[in-house]
PDB file of all heavy atoms in Angstrom:
ATOM      1  N   ILE A 408       1.841 -15.818  -9.126  1.00 98.00           N
ATOM      2  CA  ILE A 408       0.960 -15.713  -7.962  1.00 98.00           C
ATOM      3  C   ILE A 408      -0.393 -15.217  -8.451  1.00 98.00           C
ATOM      4  O   ILE A 408      -0.478 -14.189  -9.133  1.00 98.00           O
ATOM      5  CB  ILE A 408       1.524 -14.754  -6.894  1.00 98.00           C
ATOM      6  CG1 ILE A 408       2.839 -15.292  -6.322  1.00 98.00           C
ATOM      7  CG2 ILE A 408       0.515 -14.541  -5.772  1.00 98.00           C
ATOM      8  CD1 ILE A 408       3.554 -14.327  -5.372  1.00 98.00           C
ATOM      9  N   SER A 409      -1.442 -15.933  -8.107  1.00 97.00           N
ATOM     10  CA  SER A 409      -2.785 -15.548  -8.505  1.00 97.00           C
ATOM     11  C   SER A 409      -3.341 -14.557  -7.484  1.00 97.00           C
ATOM     12  O   SER A 409      -3.548 -14.888  -6.319  1.00 97.00           O
ATOM     13  CB  SER A 409      -3.687 -16.775  -8.591  1.00 97.00           C
ATOM     14  OG  SER A 409      -5.006 -16.403  -8.950  1.00 97.00           O
ATOM     15  N   THR A 410      -3.564 -13.330  -7.924  1.00 97.00           N
ATOM     16  CA  THR A 410      -4.053 -12.265  -7.059  1.00 97.00           C
ATOM     17  C   THR A 410      -4.581 -11.157  -7.958  1.00 97.00           C
ATOM     18  O   THR A 410      -4.481 -11.251  -9.192  1.00 97.00           O
ATOM     19  CB  THR A 410      -2.926 -11.734  -6.151  1.00 97.00           C
ATOM     20  OG1 THR A 410      -3.408 -10.676  -5.327  1.00 97.00           O
ATOM     21  CG2 THR A 410      -1.761 -11.207  -6.968  1.00 97.00           C
ATOM     22  N   LYS A 411      -5.163 -10.124  -7.382  1.00 97.00           N
ATOM     23  CA  LYS A 411      -5.507  -8.915  -8.108  1.00 97.00           C
ATOM     24  C   LYS A 411      -4.858  -7.760  -7.370  1.00 97.00           C
ATOM     25  O   LYS A 411      -5.428  -7.202  -6.438  1.00 97.00           O
ATOM     26  CB  LYS A 411      -7.025  -8.747  -8.202  1.00 97.00           C
ATOM     27  CG  LYS A 411      -7.684  -9.762  -9.124  1.00 97.00           C
ATOM     28  CD  LYS A 411      -9.160  -9.479  -9.334  1.00 97.00           C
ATOM     29  CE  LYS A 411      -9.774 -10.465 -10.325  1.00 97.00           C
ATOM     30  NZ  LYS A 411     -11.213 -10.209 -10.551  1.00 97.00           N
ATOM     31  N   SER A 412      -3.637  -7.443  -7.801  1.00 97.00           N
ATOM     32  CA  SER A 412      -2.790  -6.527  -7.042  1.00 97.00           C
ATOM     33  C   SER A 412      -2.301  -5.375  -7.894  1.00 97.00           C
ATOM     34  O   SER A 412      -2.381  -5.390  -9.122  1.00 97.00           O
ATOM     35  CB  SER A 412      -1.593  -7.282  -6.447  1.00 97.00           C
ATOM     36  OG  SER A 412      -2.027  -8.245  -5.511  1.00 97.00           O
ATOM     37  N   GLY A 413      -1.779  -4.362  -7.228  1.00 96.00           N
ATOM     38  CA  GLY A 413      -1.151  -3.208  -7.860  1.00 96.00           C
ATOM     39  C   GLY A 413       0.229  -3.007  -7.274  1.00 96.00           C
ATOM     40  O   GLY A 413       1.212  -3.566  -7.760  1.00 96.00           O
ATOM     41  N   GLU A 414       0.326  -2.216  -6.173  1.00 97.00           N
ATOM     42  CA  GLU A 414       1.606  -2.039  -5.505  1.00 97.00           C
ATOM     43  C   GLU A 414       2.143  -3.404  -5.060  1.00 97.00           C
ATOM     44  O   GLU A 414       1.392  -4.261  -4.582  1.00 97.00           O
ATOM     45  CB  GLU A 414       1.451  -1.130  -4.284  1.00 97.00           C
ATOM     46  CG  GLU A 414       1.047   0.303  -4.602  1.00 97.00           C
ATOM     47  CD  GLU A 414      -0.465   0.511  -4.634  1.00 97.00           C
ATOM     48  OE1 GLU A 414      -1.212  -0.493  -4.577  1.00 97.00           O
ATOM     49  OE2 GLU A 414      -0.897   1.667  -4.711  1.00 97.00           O
ATOM     50  N   ILE A 415       3.461  -3.590  -5.208  1.00 98.00           N
ATOM     51  CA  ILE A 415       4.052  -4.878  -4.885  1.00 98.00           C
ATOM     52  C   ILE A 415       5.422  -4.662  -4.255  1.00 98.00           C
ATOM     53  O   ILE A 415       6.128  -3.695  -4.576  1.00 98.00           O
ATOM     54  CB  ILE A 415       4.162  -5.771  -6.144  1.00 98.00           C
ATOM     55  CG1 ILE A 415       4.694  -7.167  -5.780  1.00 98.00           C
ATOM     56  CG2 ILE A 415       5.024  -5.104  -7.212  1.00 98.00           C
ATOM     57  CD1 ILE A 415       4.594  -8.161  -6.915  1.00 98.00           C
ATOM     58  N   SER A 416       5.786  -5.545  -3.345  1.00 98.00           N
ATOM     59  CA  SER A 416       7.085  -5.478  -2.685  1.00 98.00           C
ATOM     60  C   SER A 416       7.736  -6.850  -2.721  1.00 98.00           C
ATOM     61  O   SER A 416       7.038  -7.876  -2.732  1.00 98.00           O
ATOM     62  CB  SER A 416       6.920  -5.015  -1.233  1.00 98.00           C
ATOM     63  OG  SER A 416       8.173  -4.899  -0.591  1.00 98.00           O
ATOM     64  N   ALA A 417       9.065  -6.877  -2.737  1.00 98.00           N
ATOM     65  CA  ALA A 417       9.778  -8.156  -2.753  1.00 98.00           C
ATOM     66  C   ALA A 417      11.170  -7.970  -2.150  1.00 98.00           C
ATOM     67  O   ALA A 417      11.823  -6.952  -2.385  1.00 98.00           O
ATOM     68  CB  ALA A 417       9.890  -8.701  -4.178  1.00 98.00           C
ATOM     69  N   ILE A 418      11.593  -8.945  -1.377  1.00 98.00           N
ATOM     70  CA  ILE A 418      12.944  -8.965  -0.818  1.00 98.00           C
ATOM     71  C   ILE A 418      13.422 -10.420  -0.779  1.00 98.00           C
ATOM     72  O   ILE A 418      12.631 -11.357  -0.967  1.00 98.00           O
ATOM     73  CB  ILE A 418      13.015  -8.390   0.617  1.00 98.00           C
ATOM     74  CG1 ILE A 418      12.198  -9.262   1.590  1.00 98.00           C
ATOM     75  CG2 ILE A 418      12.542  -6.944   0.638  1.00 98.00           C
ATOM     76  CD1 ILE A 418      12.401  -8.898   3.058  1.00 98.00           C
ATOM     77  N   TYR A 419      14.718 -10.609  -0.534  1.00 98.00           N
ATOM     78  CA  TYR A 419      15.217 -11.926  -0.128  1.00 98.00           C
ATOM     79  C   TYR A 419      15.447 -11.848   1.370  1.00 98.00           C
ATOM     80  O   TYR A 419      16.213 -11.003   1.858  1.00 98.00           O
ATOM     81  CB  TYR A 419      16.504 -12.322  -0.840  1.00 98.00           C
ATOM     82  CG  TYR A 419      16.930 -13.727  -0.434  1.00 98.00           C
ATOM     83  CD1 TYR A 419      16.360 -14.830  -1.044  1.00 98.00           C
ATOM     84  CD2 TYR A 419      17.853 -13.924   0.599  1.00 98.00           C
ATOM     85  CE1 TYR A 419      16.703 -16.121  -0.657  1.00 98.00           C
ATOM     86  CE2 TYR A 419      18.195 -15.206   0.997  1.00 98.00           C
ATOM     87  CZ  TYR A 419      17.619 -16.301   0.364  1.00 98.00           C
ATOM     88  OH  TYR A 419      17.946 -17.577   0.776  1.00 98.00           O
ATOM     89  N   SER A 420      14.758 -12.686   2.139  1.00 97.00           N
ATOM     90  CA  SER A 420      14.813 -12.639   3.589  1.00 97.00           C
ATOM     91  C   SER A 420      15.918 -13.547   4.121  1.00 97.00           C
ATOM     92  O   SER A 420      15.893 -14.763   3.900  1.00 97.00           O
ATOM     93  CB  SER A 420      13.463 -13.070   4.176  1.00 97.00           C
ATOM     94  OG  SER A 420      13.567 -13.297   5.561  1.00 97.00           O
ATOM     95  N   ALA A 421      16.870 -12.947   4.838  1.00 97.00           N
ATOM     96  CA  ALA A 421      17.925 -13.747   5.466  1.00 97.00           C
ATOM     97  C   ALA A 421      17.368 -14.568   6.614  1.00 97.00           C
ATOM     98  O   ALA A 421      17.911 -15.631   6.945  1.00 97.00           O
ATOM     99  CB  ALA A 421      19.043 -12.840   5.953  1.00 97.00           C
ATOM    100  N   TYR A 422      16.291 -14.103   7.232  1.00 96.00           N
ATOM    101  CA  TYR A 422      15.681 -14.848   8.334  1.00 96.00           C
ATOM    102  C   TYR A 422      14.989 -16.104   7.817  1.00 96.00           C
ATOM    103  O   TYR A 422      15.222 -17.208   8.316  1.00 96.00           O
ATOM    104  CB  TYR A 422      14.679 -13.971   9.072  1.00 96.00           C
ATOM    105  CG  TYR A 422      13.886 -14.714  10.130  1.00 96.00           C
ATOM    106  CD1 TYR A 422      14.477 -15.091  11.331  1.00 96.00           C
ATOM    107  CD2 TYR A 422      12.553 -15.055   9.911  1.00 96.00           C
ATOM    108  CE1 TYR A 422      13.754 -15.794  12.297  1.00 96.00           C
ATOM    109  CE2 TYR A 422      11.824 -15.738  10.870  1.00 96.00           C
ATOM    110  CZ  TYR A 422      12.430 -16.113  12.058  1.00 96.00           C
ATOM    111  OH  TYR A 422      11.716 -16.809  12.998  1.00 96.00           O
ATOM    112  N   PHE A 423      14.160 -15.962   6.805  1.00 95.00           N
ATOM    113  CA  PHE A 423      13.457 -17.117   6.249  1.00 95.00           C
ATOM    114  C   PHE A 423      14.338 -17.926   5.305  1.00 95.00           C
ATOM    115  O   PHE A 423      14.040 -19.079   5.012  1.00 95.00           O
ATOM    116  CB  PHE A 423      12.218 -16.654   5.471  1.00 95.00           C
ATOM    117  CG  PHE A 423      11.082 -16.174   6.329  1.00 95.00           C
ATOM    118  CD1 PHE A 423      10.557 -14.901   6.141  1.00 95.00           C
ATOM    119  CD2 PHE A 423      10.534 -16.981   7.306  1.00 95.00           C
ATOM    120  CE1 PHE A 423       9.495 -14.450   6.913  1.00 95.00           C
ATOM    121  CE2 PHE A 423       9.478 -16.537   8.090  1.00 95.00           C
ATOM    122  CZ  PHE A 423       8.954 -15.279   7.888  1.00 95.00           C
ATOM    123  N   LYS A 424      15.403 -17.285   4.774  1.00 97.00           N
ATOM    124  CA  LYS A 424      16.202 -17.864   3.688  1.00 97.00           C
ATOM    125  C   LYS A 424      15.297 -18.174   2.499  1.00 97.00           C
ATOM    126  O   LYS A 424      15.377 -19.240   1.869  1.00 97.00           O
ATOM    127  CB  LYS A 424      16.966 -19.114   4.155  1.00 97.00           C
ATOM    128  CG  LYS A 424      18.023 -18.830   5.211  1.00 97.00           C
ATOM    129  CD  LYS A 424      18.785 -20.091   5.596  1.00 97.00           C
ATOM    130  CE  LYS A 424      19.940 -19.795   6.529  1.00 97.00           C
ATOM    131  NZ  LYS A 424      19.514 -19.154   7.792  1.00 97.00           N
ATOM    132  N   GLN A 425      14.447 -17.208   2.199  1.00 97.00           N
ATOM    133  CA  GLN A 425      13.474 -17.355   1.137  1.00 97.00           C
ATOM    134  C   GLN A 425      13.228 -16.013   0.435  1.00 97.00           C
ATOM    135  O   GLN A 425      13.505 -14.952   1.000  1.00 97.00           O
ATOM    136  CB  GLN A 425      12.125 -17.844   1.700  1.00 97.00           C
ATOM    137  CG  GLN A 425      12.121 -19.268   2.206  1.00 97.00           C
ATOM    138  CD  GLN A 425      10.768 -19.637   2.795  1.00 97.00           C
ATOM    139  OE1 GLN A 425      10.256 -18.943   3.675  1.00 97.00           O
ATOM    140  NE2 GLN A 425      10.177 -20.714   2.307  1.00 97.00           N
ATOM    141  N   PHE A 426      12.719 -16.105  -0.781  1.00 98.00           N
ATOM    142  CA  PHE A 426      12.187 -14.930  -1.455  1.00 98.00           C
ATOM    143  C   PHE A 426      10.830 -14.617  -0.837  1.00 98.00           C
ATOM    144  O   PHE A 426      10.025 -15.523  -0.591  1.00 98.00           O
ATOM    145  CB  PHE A 426      12.037 -15.189  -2.956  1.00 98.00           C
ATOM    146  CG  PHE A 426      13.345 -15.319  -3.678  1.00 98.00           C
ATOM    147  CD1 PHE A 426      14.005 -16.541  -3.747  1.00 98.00           C
ATOM    148  CD2 PHE A 426      13.923 -14.214  -4.291  1.00 98.00           C
ATOM    149  CE1 PHE A 426      15.225 -16.670  -4.407  1.00 98.00           C
ATOM    150  CE2 PHE A 426      15.140 -14.325  -4.956  1.00 98.00           C
ATOM    151  CZ  PHE A 426      15.793 -15.560  -5.015  1.00 98.00           C
ATOM    152  N   VAL A 427      10.594 -13.338  -0.577  1.00 97.00           N
ATOM    153  CA  VAL A 427       9.342 -12.916   0.056  1.00 97.00           C
ATOM    154  C   VAL A 427       8.709 -11.823  -0.803  1.00 97.00           C
ATOM    155  O   VAL A 427       9.364 -10.853  -1.168  1.00 97.00           O
ATOM    156  CB  VAL A 427       9.586 -12.383   1.482  1.00 97.00           C
ATOM    157  CG1 VAL A 427       8.276 -11.931   2.116  1.00 97.00           C
ATOM    158  CG2 VAL A 427      10.262 -13.443   2.341  1.00 97.00           C
ATOM    159  N   VAL A 428       7.446 -12.018  -1.125  1.00 97.00           N
ATOM    160  CA  VAL A 428       6.671 -11.044  -1.886  1.00 97.00           C
ATOM    161  C   VAL A 428       5.488 -10.620  -1.029  1.00 97.00           C
ATOM    162  O   VAL A 428       4.869 -11.458  -0.358  1.00 97.00           O
ATOM    163  CB  VAL A 428       6.164 -11.650  -3.216  1.00 97.00           C
ATOM    164  CG1 VAL A 428       5.215 -10.688  -3.927  1.00 97.00           C
ATOM    165  CG2 VAL A 428       7.338 -11.997  -4.123  1.00 97.00           C
ATOM    166  N   SER A 429       5.172  -9.328  -1.030  1.00 96.00           N
ATOM    167  CA  SER A 429       3.979  -8.855  -0.323  1.00 96.00           C
ATOM    168  C   SER A 429       3.199  -7.937  -1.243  1.00 96.00           C
ATOM    169  O   SER A 429       3.773  -7.191  -2.046  1.00 96.00           O
ATOM    170  CB  SER A 429       4.335  -8.139   0.982  1.00 96.00           C
ATOM    171  OG  SER A 429       4.981  -6.912   0.719  1.00 96.00           O
ATOM    172  N   ALA A 430       1.872  -7.988  -1.119  1.00 96.00           N
ATOM    173  CA  ALA A 430       0.994  -7.135  -1.914  1.00 96.00           C
ATOM    174  C   ALA A 430      -0.411  -7.229  -1.358  1.00 96.00           C
ATOM    175  O   ALA A 430      -0.778  -8.228  -0.722  1.00 96.00           O
ATOM    176  CB  ALA A 430       1.003  -7.544  -3.385  1.00 96.00           C
ATOM    177  N   PHE A 431      -1.197  -6.205  -1.595  1.00 94.00           N
ATOM    178  CA  PHE A 431      -2.618  -6.251  -1.287  1.00 94.00           C
ATOM    179  C   PHE A 431      -3.354  -6.936  -2.437  1.00 94.00           C
ATOM    180  O   PHE A 431      -3.091  -6.665  -3.611  1.00 94.00           O
ATOM    181  CB  PHE A 431      -3.187  -4.846  -1.086  1.00 94.00           C
ATOM    182  CG  PHE A 431      -3.093  -4.348   0.327  1.00 94.00           C
ATOM    183  CD1 PHE A 431      -1.949  -3.732   0.786  1.00 94.00           C
ATOM    184  CD2 PHE A 431      -4.157  -4.503   1.207  1.00 94.00           C
ATOM    185  CE1 PHE A 431      -1.848  -3.266   2.087  1.00 94.00           C
ATOM    186  CE2 PHE A 431      -4.078  -4.044   2.516  1.00 94.00           C
ATOM    187  CZ  PHE A 431      -2.924  -3.428   2.962  1.00 94.00           C
ATOM    188  N   ASP A 432      -4.271  -7.799  -2.090  1.00 94.00           N
ATOM    189  CA  ASP A 432      -5.159  -8.437  -3.062  1.00 94.00           C
ATOM    190  C   ASP A 432      -6.500  -7.710  -2.988  1.00 94.00           C
ATOM    191  O   ASP A 432      -7.140  -7.675  -1.930  1.00 94.00           O
ATOM    192  CB  ASP A 432      -5.316  -9.918  -2.731  1.00 94.00           C
ATOM    193  CG  ASP A 432      -6.154 -10.668  -3.751  1.00 94.00           C
ATOM    194  OD1 ASP A 432      -6.790 -10.021  -4.614  1.00 94.00           O
ATOM    195  OD2 ASP A 432      -6.191 -11.913  -3.693  1.00 94.00           O
ATOM    196  N   PHE A 433      -6.921  -7.117  -4.111  1.00 92.00           N
ATOM    197  CA  PHE A 433      -8.157  -6.333  -4.151  1.00 92.00           C
ATOM    198  C   PHE A 433      -9.307  -7.108  -4.800  1.00 92.00           C
ATOM    199  O   PHE A 433     -10.287  -6.523  -5.234  1.00 92.00           O
ATOM    200  CB  PHE A 433      -7.918  -5.019  -4.899  1.00 92.00           C
ATOM    201  CG  PHE A 433      -7.033  -4.056  -4.159  1.00 92.00           C
ATOM    202  CD1 PHE A 433      -5.658  -4.085  -4.327  1.00 92.00           C
ATOM    203  CD2 PHE A 433      -7.563  -3.143  -3.265  1.00 92.00           C
ATOM    204  CE1 PHE A 433      -4.829  -3.204  -3.644  1.00 92.00           C
ATOM    205  CE2 PHE A 433      -6.754  -2.256  -2.570  1.00 92.00           C
ATOM    206  CZ  PHE A 433      -5.380  -2.295  -2.757  1.00 92.00           C
ATOM    207  N   SER A 434      -9.192  -8.440  -4.857  1.00 91.00           N
ATOM    208  CA  SER A 434     -10.258  -9.226  -5.478  1.00 91.00           C
ATOM    209  C   SER A 434     -11.505  -9.285  -4.607  1.00 91.00           C
ATOM    210  O   SER A 434     -12.597  -9.581  -5.091  1.00 91.00           O
ATOM    211  CB  SER A 434      -9.773 -10.643  -5.780  1.00 91.00           C
ATOM    212  OG  SER A 434      -9.351 -11.294  -4.606  1.00 91.00           O
ATOM    213  N   GLY A 435     -11.352  -9.021  -3.328  1.00 85.00           N
ATOM    214  CA  GLY A 435     -12.472  -8.972  -2.404  1.00 85.00           C
ATOM    215  C   GLY A 435     -12.199  -7.906  -1.370  1.00 85.00           C
ATOM    216  O   GLY A 435     -11.819  -6.783  -1.714  1.00 85.00           O
ATOM    217  N   VAL A 436     -12.366  -8.239  -0.098  1.00 80.00           N
ATOM    218  CA  VAL A 436     -11.965  -7.325   0.960  1.00 80.00           C
ATOM    219  C   VAL A 436     -10.456  -7.122   0.857  1.00 80.00           C
ATOM    220  O   VAL A 436      -9.702  -8.095   0.847  1.00 80.00           O
ATOM    221  CB  VAL A 436     -12.330  -7.891   2.349  1.00 80.00           C
ATOM    222  CG1 VAL A 436     -11.793  -6.988   3.452  1.00 80.00           C
ATOM    223  CG2 VAL A 436     -13.838  -8.057   2.473  1.00 80.00           C
ATOM    224  N   PRO A 437      -9.967  -5.878   0.716  1.00 84.00           N
ATOM    225  CA  PRO A 437      -8.525  -5.662   0.549  1.00 84.00           C
ATOM    226  C   PRO A 437      -7.724  -6.343   1.655  1.00 84.00           C
ATOM    227  O   PRO A 437      -7.924  -6.076   2.841  1.00 84.00           O
ATOM    228  CB  PRO A 437      -8.389  -4.134   0.614  1.00 84.00           C
ATOM    229  CG  PRO A 437      -9.712  -3.632   0.153  1.00 84.00           C
ATOM    230  CD  PRO A 437     -10.722  -4.608   0.690  1.00 84.00           C
ATOM    231  N   THR A 438      -6.825  -7.222   1.241  1.00 84.00           N
ATOM    232  CA  THR A 438      -6.041  -8.026   2.180  1.00 84.00           C
ATOM    233  C   THR A 438      -4.597  -8.044   1.739  1.00 84.00           C
ATOM    234  O   THR A 438      -4.306  -8.321   0.567  1.00 84.00           O
ATOM    235  CB  THR A 438      -6.575  -9.469   2.255  1.00 84.00           C
ATOM    236  OG1 THR A 438      -7.946  -9.443   2.680  1.00 84.00           O
ATOM    237  CG2 THR A 438      -5.762 -10.302   3.232  1.00 84.00           C
ATOM    238  N   CYS A 439      -3.681  -7.745   2.658  1.00 87.00           N
ATOM    239  CA  CYS A 439      -2.251  -7.793   2.358  1.00 87.00           C
ATOM    240  C   CYS A 439      -1.711  -9.170   2.717  1.00 87.00           C
ATOM    241  O   CYS A 439      -1.868  -9.636   3.848  1.00 87.00           O
ATOM    242  CB  CYS A 439      -1.501  -6.713   3.144  1.00 87.00           C
ATOM    243  SG  CYS A 439       0.248  -6.578   2.697  1.00 87.00           S
ATOM    244  N   TYR A 440      -1.088  -9.808   1.734  1.00 89.00           N
ATOM    245  CA  TYR A 440      -0.519 -11.137   1.927  1.00 89.00           C
ATOM    246  C   TYR A 440       1.002 -11.081   1.856  1.00 89.00           C
ATOM    247  O   TYR A 440       1.589 -10.205   1.208  1.00 89.00           O
ATOM    248  CB  TYR A 440      -1.013 -12.104   0.851  1.00 89.00           C
ATOM    249  CG  TYR A 440      -2.472 -12.457   0.931  1.00 89.00           C
ATOM    250  CD1 TYR A 440      -3.392 -11.879   0.065  1.00 89.00           C
ATOM    251  CD2 TYR A 440      -2.949 -13.388   1.858  1.00 89.00           C
ATOM    252  CE1 TYR A 440      -4.741 -12.201   0.124  1.00 89.00           C
ATOM    253  CE2 TYR A 440      -4.286 -13.724   1.921  1.00 89.00           C
ATOM    254  CZ  TYR A 440      -5.177 -13.125   1.048  1.00 89.00           C
ATOM    255  OH  TYR A 440      -6.506 -13.455   1.112  1.00 89.00           O
TER     256      TYR A 440
END
Side-chain angles (χ1 to χ4, degrees):
I408 296 173
S409 179
T410 179
K411 290 187 177 180
S412 296
E414 295 90 351
I415 184 170
S416 182
I418 64 170
Y419 183 82
S420 168
Y422 173 74
F423 287 124
K424 295 182 174 59
Q425 291 178 306
F426 291 86
V427 179
V428 173
S429 69
F431 271 85
D432 184 349
F433 291 89
S434 59
V436 175
T438 301
C439 186
Y440 291 103

